[in-house]
Amino acid sequence: MSNETKKKIFDNLDVLGAIIMIVALFLGAFYKDNGGAYAATYTYPGYKLIFNSEYMLGTLMIALPLIVLITNYVDGLKKYEKLIKIVLPAITLIFVFVLKGQVADEVAVDTGAALSLALGGWIYVLGNIIGLVSGAAGFFGINIEEKADEFMNKKK
């Protein structure tokens, strides 16, 4: 991989994380339950969490990554760029588990089922961690590309 390509990837990790988070909401199940008192298990896709008026946090789970994406292009947000790119991924990571609790409370009333993250949820968390690491590195002035090169040279 060329140095220019690596630089582009490391410079845009926050964008990559936000895109992964948005796509994960539309990749199959976001949460799943164990069936509880019934033999059948149920899944809860991310898009139903977004467009369901009962879960305001679901809407924020797509809105906040979109704000991270547009931060580079909106002049009014550029002065808060470092803060936005560290705080919003941290907030959405918290929202994943708070929303899980809200959905679990609703599910447990009928079936007594326990809720866990499904594939879409785990991919969302992965994108969230990528964005959070990139945002933290930008906020604290750490060069991720340099650190990755140091790590790879140390292994050899």
Side-chain angles (χ1 to χ4, degrees), residues 80-99:
Y80 304 112
E81 179 180 11
K82 289 181 180 183
L83 189 62
I84 287 171
K85 290 184 178 183
I86 191 172
V87 171
L88 296 188
I91 290 172
T92 54
L93 186 61
I94 294 168
F95 283 176
V96 168
F97 297 103
V98 171
L99 186 60

Side-chain angles (χ1 to χ4, degrees), residues 1 7-8 13 31 33 38 47 49 64 70 72 96 111 113 116 124 127-128 132 134 143:
M1 185 181 316
K7 181 164 179 43
K8 281 185 181 179
L13 276 178
Y31 298 122
D33 68 22
Y38 303 109
Y47 66 86
L49 299 171
L64 298 181
I70 65 170
N72 295 335
V96 168
T111 65
S116 62
Y124 189 91
N128 206 316
L132 189 58
S134 175
N143 187 342

Side-chain angles (χ1 to χ4, degrees), residues 47-140:
Y47 66 86
K48 283 190 178 177
L49 299 171
I50 298 168
F51 301 118
N52 188 341
S53 62
E54 293 178 18
Y55 305 117
M56 181 63 178
L57 294 181
T59 306
L60 291 174
M61 285 176 58
I62 195 167
L64 298 181
L66 284 172
I67 292 171
V68 170
L69 284 177
I70 65 170
T71 300
N72 295 335
Y73 307 106
V74 177
D75 292 333
L77 295 175
K78 283 187 180 181
K79 63 182 176 180
Y80 304 112
E81 179 180 11
K82 289 181 180 183
L83 189 62
I84 287 171
K85 290 184 178 183
I86 191 172
V87 171
L88 296 188
I91 290 172
T92 54
L93 186 61
I94 294 168
F95 283 176
V96 168
F97 297 103
V98 171
L99 186 60
K100 178 179 168 271
Q102 287 180 346
V103 175
D105 287 345
E106 186 176 307
V107 170
V109 168
D110 297 332
T111 65
L115 203 65
S116 62
L117 290 174
L119 181 64
W122 285 113
I123 293 172
Y124 189 91
V125 169
L126 174 70
N128 206 316
I129 290 171
I130 291 170
L132 189 58
V133 167
S134 175
F139 188 79
F140 295 111

Side-chain angles (χ1 to χ4, degrees), residues 6-21:
K6 280 197 313 189
K7 181 164 179 43
K8 281 185 181 179
I9 291 171
F10 284 115
D11 287 346
N12 294 310
L13 276 178
D14 52 348
V15 172
L16 178 67
I19 290 171
I20 290 171
M21 288 169 24

Side-chain angles (χ1 to χ4, degrees), residues 139-154:
F139 188 79
F140 295 111
I142 299 169
N143 187 342
I144 298 177
E145 183 181 5
E146 225 175 72
K147 294 294 181 186
D149 285 341
E150 284 177 20
F151 180 73
M152 294 306 289
N153 291 333
K154 196 181 270 189

